[in-house]
Amino acid sequence: VQLVESGGGLVQPGGSLRLSCAASGFTYTTYSMGWFRQAPGKEREGVSCISYSGISTYYADSVKGRFTISRDNAKNTLYLQMNSLKPEDTATYYCAATLAYCDGEYVEAAQYNYWGQGTQVTVSS
């Protein structure tokens, strides 16, 4: 099983980034997927999740209206479009896969079966 994130980097406040997560080694289309982030000295935060079909999504209040989660089941790839980035969005971002259903509510990190290694996002001028 592999989840490989990409697309992180340094961006100025107000800028945008699109993260990708390439999945392999499991039946991607049967898993809900999520994005988490962790900043130095802070607890891991659930950012967003999406159901296996892509119909249902959840967003943390801190990113609602700025971030958009999506998935391409033909390419086994998960995305996170991040707009209007703020310095407080600086963190390592992780994608994860869960058999739990993302039905618009937060799915606890403990329910995720597979995790990626993370990609760094730094928002700074």
Side-chain angles (χ1 to χ4, degrees):
V1 172
Q2 275 198 314
L3 293 172
V4 181
E5 302 95 336
S6 61
L10 173 64
V11 63
Q12 292 187 341
S16 297
L17 282 175
R18 188 174 84 152
L19 305 184
S20 299
C21 171
S24 61
F26 64 103
T27 309
Y28 176 76
T29 54
T30 63
Y31 282 72
S32 293
M33 298 295 295
W35 287 100
F36 288 78
R37 67 185 181 185
Q38 188 165 21
K42 294 190 176 181
E43 292 189 357
R44 180 171 49 191
E45 175 188 14
V47 174
S48 182
C49 71
I50 186 168
S51 62
Y52 60 84
S53 65
I55 290 176
S56 297
T57 58
Y58 157 85
Y59 296 96
D61 287 343
S62 57
V63 306
K64 202 171 292 184
R66 300 187 298 122
F67 290 12
T68 302
I69 192 170
S70 62
R71 64 189 296 163
D72 185 335
N73 284 350
K75 296 182 178 180
N76 283 11
T77 302
L78 176 73
Y79 303 100
L80 186 68
Q81 178 67 44
M82 306 187 294
N83 299 329
S84 303
L85 282 162
K86 305 175 181 180
E88 51 263 43
D89 294 318
T90 296
T92 301
Y93 284 71
Y94 301 89
C95 68
T98 178
L99 287 171
Y101 187 67
C102 173
D103 60 354
E105 299 292 329
Y106 176 64
V107 178
E108 298 266 348
Q111 295 188 65
Y112 283 81
N113 304 91
Y114 307 124
W115 291 82
Q117 293 300 305
T119 185
Q120 177 67 37
V121 171
T122 302
V123 185
S124 174
S125 54

